[in-house]
Amino acid sequence: MSGARLERASPAPAGQRAALRADALAGLTAPRKTLPCKWLYDTEGARLFEAITRQPEYYPTRTEVGILREQAPAIAAAVGPGATAVEFGPGDGGKAVLLLSRLQAPAAYVPVEIAPEWLDAVASRVSEEVPGVPVLPVVADFARAFGLPSGVPRERRLGFFPGSTIGNFEPTEAADLLRRFRAALGPGARLLLGADLVKGRAMLEAAYDDAAGVTAAFNLNLLHRLNRELEADFDVPAFRHRAVWNAEEERVEMYLESLRAQRARLAGREIRFAAGETIHTENSHKYRPERLEALADAAGWRARAMWTDQGRLFSVWLLDA
Ligand code: AVI
């Protein structure tokens, strides 16, 4: 994927709609149909994703939060006092609150996010829940090259990229992203990174196809979004959600499968589906520790520490620039 970051603008601005149209036309007229996973996150998609994180099958969020809580003393000791935490795509700010309230005298918190209204909400939450830590919000798209403003302290910068969002990027894109973080943070920086680990098929496929159908609704919302924003006419109930563990690529793949032969109109084009034909909508790469270390290494980072849970489901890494 290019850009696993959440896009929450609603209704979509014209530029964003044009980009969605271009991506949808390119992806749905290709021999193997695809849609980039960044488009999963409109307002409804973001709401559904928050609901996914509360599903019993979706272990990553609660496991990572458990690691951050349990290992907070070790993380705080390794990071040291006076860090400026720079979070890329801060979500609802919950993990920032957890981190900042455990670090020793953090100097500042810098959430980096493309959607200004989302940034405001995160800044208010963190200011309220961790008073005394200056919040310096930065509007930027970290999926592209960006710099931090001069007001952000240069010393002891700690990048923060939790949630295993790194897994939604293809490995070469993930290395580019880590390289960009390194360039933006500067020499001497550290990065606290969450990465989901490889595990058995049953647990992975259940995590991406929960019994309550929330992940299915999240995936199908992509077709609703095309109908809403591009005036397409997908018959959404004629598609179903599928999640498949690809053991060779070590990633969970999400698809929308057409239940019958059908056609849909999209931006003046007719898109045909055979029965059983799929649209590939997301990859969620899982990492073995040695592969994550090699990825970090390729991007110029050195692994300093890794923390995991008892079941070795998830990993939190501290990397040195
Ligand atoms: C945002 N990202 C880390 C999630 C994941 O687990 O890959 C997105 C997701 N897709 C389906 N469920 C969750």
Side-chain angles (χ1 to χ4, degrees):
M1 118 177 221
S2 44
R5 37 165 334 291
L6 308 188
E7 304 214 355
R8 295 180 175 84
S10 175
Q16 199 182 325
R17 230 181 1 254
L20 172 62
R21 182 186 300 113
D23 280 356
L25 279 174
L28 296 178
T29 56
R32 299 177 73 148
K33 295 182 170 63
T34 62
L35 286 169
C37 69
K38 68 174 181 177
W39 299 114
L40 288 162
Y41 300 92
D42 63 350
T43 305
E44 178 62 0
R47 187 191 71 75
L48 287 164
F49 176 66
E50 300 299 339
I52 287 173
T53 65
R54 294 191 299 273
Q55 296 312 299
E57 297 94 333
Y58 192 76
Y59 63 84
T61 308
R62 65 170 180 276
T63 309
E64 183 181 48
V65 167
I67 296 170
L68 291 173
R69 282 215 175 95
E70 263 173 43
Q71 302 295 345
I75 295 171
V79 168
T84 290
V86 179
E87 184 171 13
F88 305 105
D92 66 1
K95 287 176 194 166
V97 168
L98 177 54
L99 179 70
L100 293 165
S101 58
R102 262 84 167 176
L103 288 180
Q104 303 168 38
Y109 171 59
V110 183
V112 180
E113 165 65 51
I114 197 172
E117 70 284 3
W118 195 258
L119 203 52
D120 285 350
V122 169
S124 310
R125 175 174 182 183
V126 173
S127 304
E128 227 168 77
E129 295 187 32
V130 200
V133 178
V135 178
L136 311 169
V138 173
V139 180
D141 181 0
F142 65 75
R144 294 156 202 244
F146 71 99
L148 293 172
S150 56
V152 174
R154 297 204 158 271
E155 304 75 38
R156 299 190 184 87
R157 285 181 177 169
L158 173 71
F160 186 37
F161 194 48
S164 198
T165 301
I166 191 81
N168 296 127
F169 292 81
E170 294 310 306
T172 52
E173 292 180 339
D176 288 346
L177 184 71
L178 293 182
R179 239 174 253 124
R180 264 197 310 278
F181 288 170
R182 193 163 158 266
L185 291 166
R190 305 247 177 86
L191 178 66
L192 193 62
L193 172 73
D196 197 7
L197 297 173
V198 170
K199 56 190 65 63
R201 174 184 300 274
M203 188 172 195
L204 284 164
E205 290 187 347
Y208 290 81
D209 194 5
D210 56 276
V214 182
T215 309
F218 172 70
N219 199 7
L220 288 160
N221 177 58
L222 197 42
L223 296 181
H224 285 300
R225 182 175 191 181
L226 297 182
N227 287 351
R228 274 193 302 266
E229 293 184 26
L230 303 182
E231 288 161 23
D233 67 352
F234 287 91
D235 180 10
V236 182
F239 289 84
R240 72 163 176 139
H241 163 71
R242 288 191 54 209
V244 182
W245 170 240
N246 180 334
E248 206 169 304
E249 301 287 345
E250 299 195 322
R251 66 191 192 197
V252 177
E253 299 171 350
M254 290 205 322
Y255 294 94
L256 290 166
E257 181 185 324
S258 176
L259 295 173
R260 55 175 166 77
Q262 56 180 317
R263 297 160 189 217
R265 299 285 312 165
L266 172 78
R269 297 284 293 271
E270 185 179 79
I271 314 290
R272 292 172 182 228
F273 293 87
E277 189 177 354
T278 56
I279 308 171
H280 189 172
T281 53
E282 188 186 63
N283 288 322
S284 191
H285 293 262
K286 308 306 171 187
Y287 281 93
R288 295 176 191 276
E290 59 276 17
R291 271 196 58 225
L292 197 286
E293 216 171 328
L295 177 77
D297 206 61
W301 292 95
R302 211 161 15 88
R304 184 189 175 92
M306 185 200 72
W307 297 277
T308 185
D309 53 292
Q310 279 205 331
R312 289 186 75 81
L313 299 180
F314 200 93
S315 59
V316 174
W317 294 76
L318 184 62
L319 308 175
D320 283 337

